Amino acid sequence: MKIYLSLLLFVLSIHINAGDGNAILKEVDARIYTPNMAFEMDISAYKGNKLRDSNRIAGYSKDSDRSLVLLYFISPASLKGRKMLMEGNYIWMQMPRTKNAIRLSPMQILLGEASNGDVARTRFSADYNAVHDGNEMIEGKKCERLILEVKSDKKGSTYSKIILRIGADKLPVYAEFFAESGKMMKKVFYRSFSPFGGRMMQKIIEIFDAVNSENHTIMEYVKIGSKNLPLSHFTKEYLDRFQYTSFGAQ
Amino acid sequence: MRIRIFFSIFLFLTITEYGQSFDGFYNIQSTCSTHMISEKTDENRFSLSHTFFANHSESFGIFNTSINANAFGKIKSGEDQEADKTKSKFESKITEFYISMGSDSIFFDFGKKNIKTGTALFKSPTYYFDSVSGSTWKRDSNSEKKTKEGTIGLKTEWINPIFTVSEYFSPRITINDDREKNIERFTSEQDFHRSLSSLSFRIKDLDMSLFFLYTKRNHGTKFNSGLTSNISIGESITFYIDASIADQKYNYLPDDNLYTIEESKINKPIEASSGMSYSINENNTLYAEYYYNGAGLNKSDYDYALDFMDKMNSFNYGSAALLSGKYGLFNMAKHYIMIRGSFSINDSYNFTAMNILNLYDKSGLFQSEINFDGEGFLIIFMGRNYYGRKKSEISFFSNIREASAEFEVYF
């Protein structure tokens, strides 16, 4: 009888933790997820202290469960005009003055350690189920620890598991991303939050390669605005027509 | 001539009035190449060229409609030195000039524009509007800028999240007096009417596009239908296929139907390219491609045709080379493969190697390139070499052995 009771309590505790975890994750998304955003961002990739690569990109994200982002390369001059459409793990790129978008594998996006999910600022709760897993100190800050497992219908996602730490203000502080093999792929710090459109926006995302910690990438938003483009603009056929117009900073 | 003057004025106005908002690049190239005139003779050619490419887009509104005007052009000057002769050349060209307008999902383009379908790197059977010159197989964005010229026409496109329908119509236009008459070319010169319709959609991970091209020439008609598709698998692999079937009819006496061959009754040649790319990591990628040319000759006819071309070459200076210049690759054989790799040596240096092999006679071209990517400039060293038997379709190309150094600066 005692065994059954313990088992029942154990199952119930998992269910409650999962329920808590998913509720907390939705709260996190509600605080940070900004639908239909226009932005300009600096992506700088470092090896140790040495700058390997630096790009300024502009883009639009679309409120959709497909993580839709249109990107335009502003600098360096040799990449200026390069355009990219990201839809989850599907990526198309169009070089300046060519007319056809080519399909890229996720490995070819060349944004340092940053993946399309980092740029798209996807909702964690759209792709992952969360379980609350206690507390932890990160950089002197007390954080709640959530273990995120990819949902069964999102198995193609780049990362199958994320361990996310969130502060008392329900903003992400630090996360570790794992591949399907269980190997840790990258560590991400979320820094410098400021209010935007009723949400909180992390202005700086610092990404470390988990295998080679010398390699890290800093994504910094330099401009943020609201823009609701039609869904038809987030198609590979539209890439040829996509023209970026700079906007006022917020 | 009038067009050249117009372009020079346009470029001058662009630079002076819109100096802040136009972009482009400047390229200086020095090339040494060898081409075969006949089986026994090789000729060397040295060339030096400066090219200034400029691109400008401008948006304006008329009757509450936003219109976007786009222009791309080049001015090129240079010298060719060949067999103790030095030839100066000057070229100025508007390669594209078109306006675009539309709503959220219906769009129109009118003017001179590059139209492209297909994915294959070496030879796509869908490159009807924008054939790639045989002299440029770098297959980067700049090589296309340097060689391609748009087609004048009207494009109508309906883009929605599920599918895209487009129609491009280009009428026959013969305004250029210095163009040779009665030669039908596969490049963008508009000696014929063309209509390209396509339907693009996605099924799960697979991008698909069906297309139908109708061409009416002086000497007949041609109808191509086909598909292009690609799919990415996992983090590293992308597969693609471009295929087309042709149905053509030739009238051998123009403007008269006395003698007509309906080729459709003889055969309907299929062309197909299939390939894959494999990303070793974010900087290193391998490509492998196979091209089947259904219109190619069988092996005995191929050898006979080469003999004939070689004799033609010995009578008429460079006639085969002239042909290769007009049509790009000859593609007289049925089977080809291409392998290409691009590798990052470090943050600044990249190396690209490409091999094209004619499977009939095992002849081919190997091309390698190393480039240094600086802050806003690029230095490129390229080498190309022909291998295999002395007499092959590839040996008739005008640049079978070539070395070049290029400097490009972006603005």
Side-chain angles (χ1 to χ4, degrees):
Chain A
M1 184 63 187
K2 274 184 182 174
I3 293 170
Y4 286 123
L5 201 60
S6 307
L7 202 61
L8 184 67
L9 283 172
F10 176 69
V11 170
L12 273 174
S13 73
I14 288 177
H15 182 74
I16 289 165
N17 275 344
D20 283 354
N22 284 329
I24 295 168
L25 197 62
K26 281 190 174 155
E27 215 177 321
V28 172
D29 280 337
R31 292 224 65 196
I32 64 166
Y33 179 67
T34 317
N36 306 322
M37 199 173 73
F39 58 86
E40 281 186 20
M41 170 194 284
D42 283 338
I43 299 184
S44 308
Y46 294 86
K47 183 166 192 170
N49 291 324
K50 193 185 165 205
L51 183 66
R52 279 191 290 152
D53 199 12
S54 178
N55 298 305
R56 174 164 288 190
I57 58 171
Y60 301 99
S61 62
K62 180 76 183 168
D63 185 24
S64 156
D65 60 355
R66 291 186 288 154
S67 306
L68 295 168
V69 190
L70 270 175
L71 293 180
Y72 178 89
F73 283 70
I74 297 171
S75 67
S78 54
L79 299 185
K80 187 180 172 186
R82 186 177 286 193
K83 296 181 270 190
M84 219 182 250
L85 168 69
M86 295 178 173
E87 183 188 327
N89 263 358
Y90 306 133
I91 299 152
W92 294 268
M93 186 174 72
Q94 186 163 352
M95 303 283 195
R97 313 305 310 160
T98 63
K99 296 296 166 194
N100 248 17
I102 53 170
R103 191 156 176 169
L104 298 184
S105 58
M107 211 174 259
Q108 288 175 291
I109 64 168
L110 297 173
L111 294 173
E113 278 65 47
S115 71
N116 45 338
D118 299 318
V119 179
R121 302 183 73 250
T122 46
R123 273 174 294 192
F124 290 116
S125 57
D127 291 350
Y128 297 91
N129 285 316
V131 176
H132 189 258
D133 189 41
N135 298 323
E136 189 179 343
M137 295 296 283
I138 300 289
E139 294 185 332
K141 198 173 175 181
K142 190 183 174 192
C143 294
E144 288 181 90
R145 183 179 151 111
L146 295 180
I147 297 180
L148 279 55
E149 299 279 354
V150 70
K151 289 179 178 174
S152 53
D153 59 336
K154 304 278 183 177
K155 283 287 183 195
S157 300
T158 313
Y159 305 104
S160 64
K161 179 178 156 184
I162 303 170
I163 302 179
L164 177 68
R165 282 78 165 184
I166 53 169
D169 50 8
K170 295 289 182 279
L171 295 176
V173 174
Y174 170 65
E176 289 161 349
F177 291 75
F178 296 83
E180 205 169 349
S181 62
K183 186 177 168 188
M184 192 199 293
M185 301 301 288
K186 65 183 185 184
K187 302 171 182 178
V188 178
F189 288 91
Y190 303 90
R191 304 184 197 280
S192 184
F193 282 84
S194 62
F196 170 72
R199 314 284 169 105
M200 293 300 283
M201 174 87 199
Q202 67 270 34
K203 288 279 178 71
I204 297 174
I205 301 172
E206 196 167 2
I207 305 164
F208 289 86
D209 185 333
V211 181
N212 185 353
S213 58
E214 267 207 315
N215 294 339
H216 72 285
T217 297
I218 297 176
M219 293 166 50
E220 182 173 3
Y221 287 92
V222 289
K223 275 188 187 178
I224 313 164
S226 287
K227 183 84 178 171
N228 189 5
L229 292 177
L231 203 53
S232 59
H233 290 200
F234 293 85
T235 55
K236 75 177 173 68
E237 285 77 19
Y238 184 76
L239 267 185
D240 184 34
R241 302 184 177 280
F242 169 42
Q243 290 200 326
Y244 176 67
T245 314
S246 192
F247 59 95
Q250 177 162 339
Chain B
M1 189 61 188
R2 271 178 299 176
I3 289 174
R4 287 177 188 183
I5 291 168
F6 171 71
F7 175 58
S8 300
I9 292 169
F10 158 76
L11 204 64
F12 176 74
L13 288 174
T14 304
I15 292 165
T16 51
E17 295 296 315
Y18 302 102
Q20 295 302 309
S21 58
F22 88 107
D23 55 48
F25 63 99
Y26 168 71
N27 172 286
I28 178 167
Q29 180 172 22
S30 178
T31 306
C32 168
S33 64
T34 310
H35 65 274
M36 195 170 93
I37 292 170
S38 76
E39 197 177 348
K40 289 173 188 159
T41 346
D42 281 352
E43 278 291 341
N44 292 321
R45 180 166 54 191
F46 297 92
S47 68
L48 178 68
S49 65
H50 300 260
T51 316
F52 179 75
F53 297 85
N55 176 40
H56 183 69
S57 292
E58 195 70 37
S59 293
F60 52 93
I62 297 174
F63 303 122
N64 293 326
T65 305
S66 173
I67 296 177
N68 194 269
N70 302 275
F72 186 76
K74 63 181 177 185
I75 293 178
K76 183 177 183 179
S77 69
E79 274 187 354
D80 277 348
Q81 193 176 3
E82 191 172 345
D84 300 329
K85 284 182 290 184
T86 302
K87 258 198 290 188
S88 293
K89 52 186 183 185
F90 176 80
E91 176 187 34
S92 66
K93 217 172 231 180
I94 302 171
T95 45
E96 285 193 292
F97 186 80
Y98 63 93
I99 56 168
S100 298
M101 57 193 291
S103 62
D104 284 350
S105 55
I106 306 278
F107 301 93
F108 301 95
D109 298 319
F110 177 69
K112 187 176 183 181
K113 188 181 184 188
N114 271 321
I115 300 293
K116 186 180 168 189
T117 50
T119 310
L121 293 177
F122 159 55
K123 176 79 166 76
S124 169
T126 68
Y127 285 174
Y128 295 110
F129 281 85
D130 300 313
S131 68
V132 178
S133 159
S135 62
T136 318
W137 291 310
K138 288 180 190 170
R139 307 297 310 160
D140 61 16
S141 58
N142 284 346
S143 66
E144 291 195 3
K145 282 185 221 175
K146 288 169 191 167
T147 54
K148 287 195 171 182
E149 194 176 350
T151 308
I152 296 169
L154 172 69
K155 184 178 184 183
T156 309
E157 195 167 36
W158 176 29
I159 301 177
N160 71 57
I162 312 294
F163 61 85
T164 296
V165 180
S166 89
E167 160 62 28
Y168 193 90
F169 175 72
S170 68
R172 180 179 174 184
I173 298 172
T174 49
I175 52 170
N176 210 347
D177 294 332
D178 56 6
R179 192 170 294 164
E180 292 172 59
K181 301 291 182 199
N182 303 320
I183 294 178
E184 294 180 335
R185 307 175 190 206
F186 297 142
T187 50
S188 56
E189 285 92 353
Q190 292 189 214
D191 291 342
F192 32 80
H193 302 283
R194 275 184 295 199
S195 162
L196 175 69
S197 311
S198 70
L199 169 69
S200 306
F201 52 93
R202 206 169 88 202
I203 306 171
K204 290 194 171 176
D205 293 354
L206 187 70
D207 288 324
M208 289 276 288
S209 184
L210 304 174
F211 67 89
F212 307 95
L213 177 86
Y214 177 77
T215 308
K216 181 166 172 42
R217 298 177 175 163
N218 276 348
H219 310 300
T221 58
K222 188 172 183 183
F223 181 71
N224 293 84
S225 47
L227 67 89
T228 72
S229 70
N230 54 56
I231 185 169
S232 53
I233 297 171
E235 289 273 292
S236 317
I237 295 174
T238 304
F239 284 104
Y240 50 86
I241 293 175
D242 297 343
S244 151
I245 184 163
D247 188 353
Q248 52 195 341
K249 189 164 81 172
Y250 273 98
N251 304 321
Y252 281 91
L253 290 176
D255 307 321
D256 195 335
N257 286 326
L258 284 176
Y259 179 40
T260 299
I261 290 184
E262 288 191 27
E263 289 200 6
S264 58
K265 288 179 182 168
I266 303 167
N267 63 17
K268 288 185 180 177
I270 293 173
E271 281 184 87
S273 279
S274 61
M276 65 168 285
S277 72
Y278 170 65
S279 303
I280 301 162
N281 54 41
E282 64 173 26
N283 293 312
N284 302 310
T285 305
L286 290 171
Y287 299 85
E289 208 168 272
Y290 165 73
Y291 168 54
Y292 171 74
N293 177 26
L297 302 170
N298 64 39
K299 201 149 185 335
S300 56
D301 289 345
Y302 174 81
D303 288 333
Y304 176 81
L306 285 179
D307 280 338
F308 174 74
M309 285 171 68
D310 189 44
K311 285 188 173 60
M312 287 283 290
N313 245 0
S314 58
F315 291 128
N316 183 4
Y317 173 82
S319 65
L322 195 68
L323 272 173
S324 82
K326 279 188 180 141
Y327 294 103
L329 298 172
F330 288 133
N331 297 133
M332 287 160 50
K334 276 192 191 297
H335 308 283
Y336 300 83
I337 56 171
M338 185 279 296
I339 294 170
R340 182 184 192 266
S342 61
F343 310 98
S344 175
I345 300 168
N346 58 32
D347 295 340
S348 303
Y349 288 93
N350 292 291
F351 175 73
T352 304
M354 183 187 221
N355 187 53
I356 296 167
L357 179 65
N358 174 333
L359 290 177
Y360 264 13
D361 58 15
K362 309 296 184 289
S363 67
L365 278 178
F366 178 78
Q367 177 174 305
S368 62
E369 181 181 307
I370 188 159
N371 66 55
F372 174 78
D373 193 351
E375 291 286 320
F377 70 91
L378 206 60
I379 298 170
I380 308 161
F381 295 99
M382 191 276 288
R384 179 186 300 143
N385 193 35
Y386 163 72
Y387 63 87
R389 73 181 197 190
K390 182 89 176 170
K391 194 164 61 186
S392 160
E393 65 167 342
I394 298 173
S395 69
F396 290 122
F397 291 165
S398 56
N399 45 9
I400 53 174
R401 289 187 187 93
E402 189 168 279
S404 72
E406 276 179 80
F407 174 74
E408 270 177 22
V409 61
Y410 298 87
F411 48 85

